[in-house]
Amino acid sequence: MALEGKHGMRDLLQDALRGHRADYVEIRIEEAETTAIRFRGRELEEVGRSRSLGGNVRALVRGGWGFASFNDVRDLRRYVEMAVHQARLVPREPVTLAPAPVVEDVVRASARKDVRGISVDDKVALLKEYNELLWASAPLQTTAARYNDLFRRSIFANSEGTYTEQEVLDLSAVLVAVARKDSEVEQAFLSVGSQGDLSVLDGRQAEVEAVARRAVELLSASRIKGGSYTVIVDPRLAGVFVHEAFGHLSEADHVYENPRLRELMVLGRRFGGPPLNIVDGAAVPGHRGSYAYDSEGMPAQRTYLIREGVLVGRLHSRETAGRMGEPPSANARSISYRFPPIVRMTNTYIEPGDTTFEQMLASIDDGVYVKDSFGGQTSMEMFTFSAAEAFRIRRGRLEEPLRGVNLSGNVFQTLANIEAIGNDLQWSEGGGCGKGEQAPLPVAMGSPHLLIRDVVIGGG
Amino acid sequence: MQDIAEQVLALASRSATWAEVYAAREEETPVSFKANRLHSIETREARGLALRVVVEGRIGFASSSQLDEPELLVRDALATARFGPASALAYPTQQVQDPGLGLYDQRIADLSADTMVQIGQQMIDRVRAHGEDILCDADVRKSTGTVLLLNSSGGQGTYCQTVVWLGLNANRVRGTDILDIWEEDASCHLAAIDAEGVVRTVLEKLDLAEEIAPIRTASLPVIFTPKGVYMTLLAPLQAALNGKLVLQGASPLAGRLGERVFDPGFSVFDDGRVPGQPTSAPMDGEGVPTRRTALVQEGSVSAFYYDLQTAGLAGTESTGNGQRGLTSLPSPATHALRIVPGTASYEAMLSDISEGLLVDQTMGAWAGNVLGGQFSGNVHLGFRIEKGRLVGRVKDTMVAGNVFEALAHLAGIGDRAHWVGGRAEIPYLYIPSLAVSAR
């Protein structure tokens, strides 16, 4: 890569940071290489490689931010001036950024079966093998298989003296089975991800076969009447729930700007029963949201958001932590050099409790078991997410499969309605998170099974 | 950009049967307001080259933001062609001219950050005058872009486009009740932007949202506003008409060309040539002239939309819908879907309903089985209709159904179509019965 061995880059950055007349300036230069492979049906649809080199400058003047991003990394001083000029146009009350340690560090990425060491044709062959397995496992209408990997090197310097070089590896893959009967179409999928470790795709045969069969079975699944139900939520869907419904609400940029929300999300408020613990942190190692430093050069942390049912923390950038007088949490992330860092989740999870799945099931006379999710969305108090798979529960037993199950609710009520927390924490690494224009950002979500009362299901 | 594009094309043509260079450059200035106040001003410059090659009948692809390494880009593209998909491309040979779409406005290019700040602040001040407890986020954004396409079969085209976009979100929190209303507008012309209209609509909806009204779980008549249609019903329709999904048989409309699937009053076009629209362009991302394509005519499926590769595989012609970003191959995508207006006035639809729902914003409706036409979304902004009047905002409510069933029998199609965020033109749609679920 072009940045490799360019020892002069550090001097360039530090030169550009001199004499800027701003309260704070940071510069990031990033270089990335990606590989994308797509199958649609049995056919290979795309194999592509992309390279990018670009950077950004962010400047703070009396509480207002300016930001410039660019591909031409030779003229850094010009972009520093641009960002400082813009920051001057933004009148805000001054802010003291939450203190960050001055760091000099180089972080190399590595993975067990490193995507950088595997040839494109081996990756194509692997994806093809799974795609063919979908076809061999059930009578499908079509399939899709997508694979993306990324290697990025970021150089970061700020006017406080921090200088870091950080490498990031990322991999995501999804396999989709589509079944059709007349004008009805159903789909099922498997989504996996890792920090550039291709072995995440090893030994997935049984799951892939199950995906193919599930798509076909959904065609004859029942529909449920809309209404309020007791549900058991599997770890994958519960992960989406904790991310969508609660995680976004914990992002301090939302909370800070909205005084009423600040009252709602006041630290110390009870959100759930004593067994409920929710954590976010890039310092939780080995997941897609793990890193050493966030996009502001802050060392990664692990933050309790809810401890024993009580709100005890939230996700911060240096600015929001400074403005709210709370401890910083190293959650400022940008999806690439094109965008400024904003407050984001990393690895978000509900800690395990002590209830077994069997105990949950036995306690329900009439309810629904919902598994995995096609996706979810939130708008502050309201969340919604779709189940990829669902079963009716009657008299403590799983009965007929359901389709078209979409859950919705109010986060405050729903967290309070968690009746039991499973003992079986599992992580999901697939997909990604979107906020504003910045998507998909690699994140991980984790949860054990949850039993929740009174969840609204939109029937179909 | 022309020089480097020509250089890459020449270099690639030495080893490839066919080569195509897509080059794009954009400068974007987003001005954003949060919680009633200016939050940030940014400048984003982006540029890049994408190279598609055909070598021994196989497609290779690479892209780069680095303009000084043409050899590397060509090498990457040639390398991926070794394992790439078999080409079914019909090579474009046309030099595409801009037919006068009016996509460039010097006033947008010259628009200063100060003026953009004023536009945003004025919108916020107007809404704030309506209520102290309202918090506004606003975005005023402009972009100036240039696209250049060259291929080795003589096809080429270039165009410049300016876009200005306004978005306004009004938020009001009372207890644990959070209300969000957003509106937007976009155009290639500064004079065509209607900031006042955006503000007026937000204020009207804030008034309507004052009262909260109960709704019961039942099958009810539902009117979707143009924005409600866009957020809830359009994605499954868009997917079902996509030539690629049709080719795979993954669309419920596959094999049903000419069949009457929708209400006889329902017609949809894709239009890449609406003057002054951000979705318009003289050509698509692979040098095929854009057009206006009738997809559904009087309820019957009349066409699907295609890019070159999909059209080649399906044995048909591209409809000029090969859309792309810099980092991936073209793929079929619509320019602007336009649902043809009907004859029902909004007032007449309302007065027809004794108990029902008006849906303006939904959340998560896209997250279900879109391919199957299913939608199931939280009603993020919706109003209870009682005896022909809107009586209040509903909460904890979902609407669900199947797009193909819902659009098969419409009780009314609005007599005016409205642009939604400069992306689609849609009338009000009145669906006689939909599943509504409430807590």
Side-chain angles (χ1 to χ4, degrees):
Chain A
M1 291 171 93
L3 292 184
E4 206 153 24
K6 281 198 179 169
H7 300 297
M9 194 50 89
R10 180 171 187 166
D11 295 335
L12 281 178
L13 262 63
Q14 285 170 343
D15 269 357
L17 284 169
R18 278 191 199 106
H20 46 65
R21 299 174 302 131
D23 299 326
Y24 170 85
V25 181
E26 66 188 24
I27 304 177
R28 168 179 303 277
I29 306 292
E30 271 180 11
E31 185 175 29
E33 293 179 7
T34 63
T35 302
I37 304 166
R38 313 219 178 297
F39 280 86
R40 193 179 284 268
R42 294 199 118 101
E43 302 304 315
L44 181 61
E45 184 178 73
E46 174 165 358
V47 180
R49 290 187 51 72
S50 291
R51 296 170 194 271
S52 66
L53 172 65
N56 69 55
V57 175
R58 195 167 67 125
L60 180 69
V61 179
R62 288 188 304 277
W65 288 105
F67 176 86
S69 63
F70 44 85
N71 293 115
D72 187 350
V73 299
R74 287 167 304 187
D75 199 2
L76 295 177
R77 289 197 77 90
R78 180 174 150 241
Y79 294 107
V80 171
E81 277 166 31
M82 197 184 275
V84 172
H85 172 73
Q86 286 168 344
R88 287 179 184 280
L89 295 176
V90 181
R92 305 281 291 189
E93 60 273 19
V95 60
T96 305
L97 298 179
V102 173
V103 175
E104 289 194 36
D105 199 2
V106 175
V107 182
R108 297 278 174 234
S110 66
R112 195 151 62 94
K113 195 169 165 187
D114 195 318
V115 290
R116 290 171 295 179
I118 316 280
S119 69
V120 176
D121 52 340
D122 284 348
K123 293 172 188 171
V124 172
L126 179 64
L127 199 63
K128 184 182 172 113
E129 191 186 314
Y130 280 119
N131 190 47
E132 284 298 321
L133 184 58
L134 284 175
W135 282 101
S137 306
L140 299 177
Q141 179 64 41
T142 190
T143 64
R146 297 190 285 273
Y147 168 94
N148 288 83
D149 66 37
L150 160 90
F151 173 59
R152 174 187 293 143
R153 179 176 288 124
S154 296
I155 298 181
F156 173 90
N158 70 22
S159 53
E160 296 168 351
T162 284
Y163 177 86
T164 61
E165 292 180 27
Q166 186 168 221
E167 292 179 348
V168 170
L169 280 167
D170 188 60
L171 177 164
S172 62
V174 61
L175 291 152
V176 184
V178 178
R180 180 177 176 191
K181 191 179 158 203
D182 304 324
S183 65
E184 298 213 44
V185 177
E186 291 290 345
Q187 52 186 322
F189 71 97
L190 172 70
S191 171
V192 301
S194 70
Q195 291 200 304
D197 181 0
L198 202 65
S199 65
V200 73
L201 280 164
D202 290 349
R204 297 279 184 175
Q205 284 76 5
E207 287 167 85
V208 170
E209 288 167 8
V211 164
R213 285 196 305 268
R214 188 159 76 235
V216 174
E217 284 160 12
L218 279 171
L219 286 172
S220 51
S222 311
R223 295 198 184 279
I224 189 165
K225 195 172 174 313
S228 192
Y229 292 88
T230 298
V231 297
I232 300 178
V233 184
D234 90 323
R236 281 182 174 267
L237 183 37
V240 176
F241 165 70
V242 69
H243 173 99
E244 290 296 338
F246 185 73
H248 282 295
L249 212 51
S250 292
E251 292 166 349
D253 49 348
H254 291 316
V255 180
Y256 171 72
E257 300 284 5
N258 191 323
R260 303 302 297 265
L261 198 54
R262 217 152 63 201
E263 286 169 28
L264 282 177
M265 292 295 288
V266 68
L267 297 184
R269 182 183 176 129
R270 176 162 290 281
F271 276 86
L276 182 64
N277 292 290
I278 301 180
V279 180
D280 178 276
V284 181
H287 298 290
R288 278 182 80 211
S290 308
Y291 47 73
Y293 300 98
D294 76 355
S295 299
E296 297 184 307
M298 284 286 289
Q301 298 182 24
R302 177 197 297 248
T303 307
Y304 269 91
L305 304 175
I306 287 183
R307 198 194 283 263
E308 296 178 358
V310 174
L311 187 71
V312 294
R314 65 180 111 246
L315 307 177
H316 279 295
S317 63
R318 291 185 64 191
E319 179 190 9
T320 61
R323 290 200 188 273
M324 294 182 77
E326 293 177 5
S329 68
N331 283 86
R333 304 178 68 187
S334 65
I335 195 160
S336 79
Y337 66 86
R338 289 206 63 207
F339 302 98
I342 54 176
V343 178
R344 301 300 292 261
M345 280 172 263
T346 59
N347 307 308
T348 314
Y349 65 103
I350 297 180
E351 287 186 340
D354 52 14
T355 312
T356 65
F357 176 69
E358 291 71 25
Q359 286 168 332
M360 287 185 189
L361 197 56
S363 73
I364 297 178
D365 191 48
D366 180 18
V368 182
Y369 179 36
V370 289
K371 296 179 73 175
D372 212 339
S373 177
F374 285 121
Q377 195 175 355
T378 174
S379 177
M380 287 305 168
E381 65 163 346
M382 297 309 299
F383 65 84
T384 176
F385 40 91
S386 66
E389 193 181 2
F391 297 89
R392 192 64 189 261
I393 303 170
R394 287 194 194 86
R395 293 171 298 279
R397 291 168 52 154
L398 289 182
E399 296 202 340
E400 76 274 14
L402 301 169
R403 58 171 158 168
V405 174
N406 218 332
L407 308 124
S408 177
N410 174 299
V411 63
F412 304 110
Q413 286 165 7
T414 306
L415 285 172
N417 288 351
I418 296 177
E419 296 256 292
I421 297 175
N423 59 358
D424 50 356
L425 170 66
Q426 289 170 44
W427 285 91
S428 325
E429 311 276 345
C433 170
K435 181 175 176 182
E437 304 161 272
Q438 300 193 47
L441 185 75
V443 293
M445 309 168 192
S447 178
H449 276 93
L450 302 178
L451 193 161
I452 312 178
R453 264 187 299 115
D454 282 338
V455 176
V456 175
I457 292 181
Chain B
M1 221 159 56
Q2 177 98 27
D3 289 353
I4 175 85
E6 281 173 7
Q7 203 182 334
V8 168
L9 187 68
L11 207 57
S13 299
R14 278 190 218 156
S15 315
T17 317
W18 182 77
E20 170 201 71
V21 179
Y22 173 85
R25 190 173 58 206
E26 186 184 63
E27 183 173 325
E28 186 181 32
T29 308
V31 171
S32 97
F33 292 80
K34 285 201 165 59
N36 303 330
R37 295 188 312 163
L38 183 59
H39 179 261
S40 65
I41 302 173
E42 300 179 18
T43 305
R44 299 180 196 154
E45 297 173 4
R47 62 168 195 219
L49 290 170
L51 172 64
R52 174 163 62 168
V53 295
V54 177
V55 183
E56 290 171 9
R58 296 190 167 275
I59 298 173
F61 177 79
S63 75
S64 178
S65 69
Q66 286 146 276
L67 302 187
D68 51 355
E69 293 178 334
E71 294 85 3
L72 196 59
L73 179 64
V74 172
R75 203 179 69 203
D76 280 351
L78 293 174
T80 60
R82 288 210 304 277
F83 338 99
S87 167
L89 300 167
Y91 303 141
T93 55
Q94 201 175 340
Q95 302 198 4
V96 182
Q97 308 293 332
D98 187 337
L101 291 174
L103 302 179
Y104 189 88
D105 180 359
Q106 190 60 41
R107 288 180 62 202
I108 294 178
D110 293 342
L111 192 65
S112 72
D114 275 335
T115 311
M116 293 168 71
V117 169
Q118 279 169 28
I119 294 170
Q121 194 62 57
Q122 279 165 9
M123 290 199 300
I124 289 174
D125 291 346
R126 285 281 317 278
V127 176
R128 286 276 289 167
H130 202 75
E132 279 293 299
D133 59 346
I134 301 165
L135 283 178
C136 289
D137 289 351
D139 288 283
V140 182
R141 176 173 298 221
K142 70 161 191 168
S143 67
T144 309
T146 305
V147 169
L148 168 71
L149 187 122
L150 294 173
N151 69 34
S152 61
S153 49
Q156 61 170 287
T158 184
Y159 64 94
C160 297
Q161 188 170 40
T162 50
V163 176
V164 62
W165 180 81
L166 303 180
L168 180 62
N169 187 87
N171 169 278
R172 191 174 63 199
V173 182
R174 288 177 180 168
T176 57
D177 171 40
I178 304 176
L179 168 69
D180 272 295
I181 298 171
W182 67 82
E183 291 293 328
E184 54 182 331
D185 193 24
S187 177
C188 296
H189 291 276
L190 192 57
I193 277 287
D194 188 9
E196 175 56 30
V198 166
V199 169
R200 210 169 42 235
T201 310
V202 166
L203 292 181
E204 282 167 16
K205 287 176 184 168
L206 273 170
D207 280 344
L208 278 174
E210 275 295 328
E211 298 295 322
I212 290 176
I215 193 119
R216 63 193 175 99
T217 296
S219 286
L220 293 174
V222 175
I223 300 173
F224 284 89
T225 67
K227 187 171 57 172
V229 172
Y230 183 85
M231 296 184 76
T232 319
L233 309 176
L234 213 62
L237 189 65
Q238 215 161 10
L241 293 163
N242 184 326
K244 193 180 265 188
L245 294 168
V246 170
L247 177 67
Q248 296 299 327
S251 161
L253 299 182
R256 301 175 76 183
L257 213 54
E259 197 180 313
R260 199 186 76 70
V261 174
F262 302 102
D263 185 277
F266 190 73
S267 297
V268 183
F269 290 84
D270 177 59
D271 199 338
R273 296 210 159 192
V274 192
Q277 277 301 123
T279 48
S280 294
M283 61 177 183
D284 69 0
E286 41 193 1
V288 178
T290 53
R291 59 178 82 163
R292 177 178 151 97
T293 307
L295 300 170
V296 178
Q297 280 181 296
E298 293 168 356
S300 297
V301 182
S302 52
F304 304 116
Y305 56 90
Y306 291 96
D307 63 357
L308 285 170
Q309 172 75 0
T310 313
L313 294 170
T316 182
E317 280 185 5
S318 167
T319 50
N321 287 90
Q323 305 274 64
R324 74 194 304 175
L326 268 171
T327 56
S328 65
L329 283 171
S331 147
T334 56
H335 297 279
L337 286 185
R338 305 177 77 181
I339 299 177
V340 177
T343 53
S345 72
Y346 168 60
E347 292 74 19
M349 292 184 202
L350 259 190
S351 63
D352 191 53
I353 296 176
S354 62
E355 183 195 8
L357 184 64
L358 176 82
V359 175
D360 188 48
Q361 292 170 186
T362 57
M363 196 171 68
W366 52 269
N369 176 19
V370 170
L371 273 186
Q374 301 297 329
F375 62 92
S376 184
N378 180 272
V379 180
H380 189 248
L381 184 63
F383 302 94
R384 176 181 165 83
I385 305 170
E386 209 175 286
K387 298 191 182 80
R389 284 181 50 242
L390 301 179
V391 294
R393 175 164 58 104
V394 300
K395 289 184 56 85
D396 295 330
T397 304
M398 297 188 79
V399 282
N402 179 291
V403 165
F404 304 103
E405 287 165 22
L407 297 179
H409 303 287
L410 291 167
I413 299 173
D415 56 7
R416 270 187 59 205
H418 305 261
W419 281 97
V420 178
R423 291 187 290 263
E425 196 188 31
I426 304 170
Y428 282 79
L429 295 181
Y430 171 12
I431 293 167
S433 174
L434 261 192
V436 175
S437 316
R439 174 178 286 276

